[in-house]
Amino acid sequence: MSDLTFTYIKISIDQDVLTLTLNRPEKLNALHPIMIQEIDAVFEEIVPLDSIKGVILIGEGDKAFAAGADIKAFQGLTSEEAQILSQEGQSTFLKIAQCAKPVIAAVNGFALGGGLELALAAHIRIASAQAQIGLPETTLGLVPGYGGTQRLTNLVGRGRALQLMLTAQRIDASTALEWGIFNAVVSPSDVLTTSKTWMLQILKQAPIALRECIRLVLEAELSGGQAMPEEAKSFGRCSATSDFIEGTTAFLEKRPPVFKGK
Ligand code: COA
């Protein structure tokens, strides 16, 4: 994405944190296929830059994070085309889940269908008290197609995941917090600032250790918790870094650590 112009998203960078805004408020930020391509390009080409340390995802406006995949774009798809649409979304959302840098979803309103699946791909979710979430795909004769059947089940277990999918009903922010889908719920005006505060707290930690935690937790998801040998290897790798020496030394010297990502 060399010219950095987008149709359906906006990006901004502040204090090494890239904020990616889904920018289609008149359609409640519904995820048009071009929007997904743009998100993909950002995670492929911009997020890996050394100058970017973390990412916040948010929706434009005060009503929605994203009200789902663009239902209009579903019309007229052949089965093969629908499968490709799902695979492309899965591939982009996997890049988010696998991003070596922390990704926070600032869920500022409705996160439905693909919008919830996008939030689920992030590592942390900070939500507005007005947020509502759900997987209403069954009302459209569909299943969630961007990883939601897997990620939601991993996060909340089979019973609650099936509750959302089979009833197609939304739950409110406090219920989502209780279920562990949201990490925190704040007043609507505080969603972005709280997400930034969390991000800056995360970025105080050693970058290699952060990257390894994200990778190991994802590994647990993929392998059903069979990643103990990987965890031990990572522990060994982390202990060979300068940041490990700095972190342990700083603790013993009662001072804040200065990490270099080495
Ligand atoms: N795809 C395409 N367009 C969408 C959309 C989606 N997923 N969600 C909302 N929109 C559009 C509406 O069609 C409407 O467009 P219009 O003004 O041109 O008619 C606009 O966004 C505003 O939505 P509207 O339904 O009028 O807002 P509301 O406040 O009455 O209802 C929701 C809000 C979220 C309850 C409702 O929009 C909704 O149910 N959306 C679909 C949710 C869904 O099924 N998502 C899963 C998709 S896989």
Side-chain angles (χ1 to χ4, degrees):
M1 193 105 330
S2 44
D3 59 358
L4 290 184
T5 56
F6 302 108
T7 306
Y8 290 129
I9 65 169
K10 290 189 294 192
I11 60 169
S12 63
I13 297 165
D14 177 44
Q15 291 180 287
D16 302 335
V17 178
L18 183 147
T19 300
L20 188 162
T21 305
L22 309 171
N23 187 25
R24 210 186 165 206
E26 71 286 358
K27 298 288 181 192
L28 304 186
N29 303 317
L31 303 168
H32 190 277
I34 290 175
M35 188 193 281
I36 293 184
Q37 284 169 17
E38 291 178 343
I39 296 169
D40 194 275
V42 170
F43 275 85
E44 192 68 40
E45 297 179 32
I46 303 175
V47 174
L49 299 175
D50 285 344
S51 55
I52 306 293
K53 308 292 186 212
V55 182
I56 294 175
L57 307 173
I58 193 166
E60 180 64 33
D62 55 8
K63 201 166 167 190
F65 176 74
D70 188 331
I71 297 170
K72 208 168 181 188
F74 289 164
Q75 288 179 321
L77 288 182
T78 65
S79 167
E80 289 74 20
E81 286 166 342
Q83 186 175 338
I84 290 167
L85 189 85
S86 167
Q87 285 166 341
E88 286 174 350
Q90 281 182 2
S91 157
T92 297
F93 288 12
L94 188 62
K95 278 179 199 165
I96 296 171
Q98 288 182 329
C99 181
K101 299 167 184 184
V103 181
I104 294 180
V107 183
N108 56 314
F110 288 115
L112 303 174
L116 176 57
E117 293 176 290
L118 175 60
L120 290 171
H123 304 136
I124 300 265
R125 283 155 290 281
I126 309 287
S128 153
Q130 286 174 4
Q132 293 186 34
I133 65 168
L135 289 176
E137 282 86 346
T138 50
T139 63
L140 302 168
L142 283 171
V143 299
Y146 294 160
T149 61
Q150 309 304 297
R151 290 198 181 95
L152 185 63
T153 308
N154 280 319
L155 198 55
V156 301
R158 203 151 51 103
R160 284 172 166 169
L162 280 172
Q163 178 182 334
L164 283 194
M165 289 177 230
L166 301 187
T167 67
Q169 285 176 337
R170 304 196 284 266
I171 56 170
D172 63 16
S174 61
T175 307
L177 179 68
E178 189 197 321
W179 286 16
I181 297 173
F182 292 156
N183 298 82
V185 173
V186 299
S187 70
S189 57
D190 289 341
V191 182
L192 188 56
T193 47
T194 306
S195 299
K196 281 194 174 150
T197 304
W198 278 54
M199 182 62 81
L200 295 178
Q201 168 62 20
I202 291 169
L203 295 180
K204 283 183 199 161
Q205 321 312 325
I208 294 170
L210 290 179
R211 192 173 71 213
E212 291 289 300
C213 284
I214 291 169
R215 195 177 69 76
L216 289 162
V217 169
L218 193 77
E219 189 76 25
E221 189 174 282
L222 297 176
S223 62
Q226 298 301 305
M228 292 301 180
E230 278 299 303
E231 187 177 282
K233 280 189 214 162
S234 277
F235 194 84
R237 271 199 296 277
C238 286
S239 70
T241 62
S242 311
D243 281 348
F244 169 75
I245 296 168
E246 168 63 8
T248 46
T249 306
F251 174 77
L252 295 171
E253 293 177 354
K254 301 191 187 300
R255 62 172 175 82
V258 181
F259 291 123
K260 301 215 161 68
K262 294 191 171 131

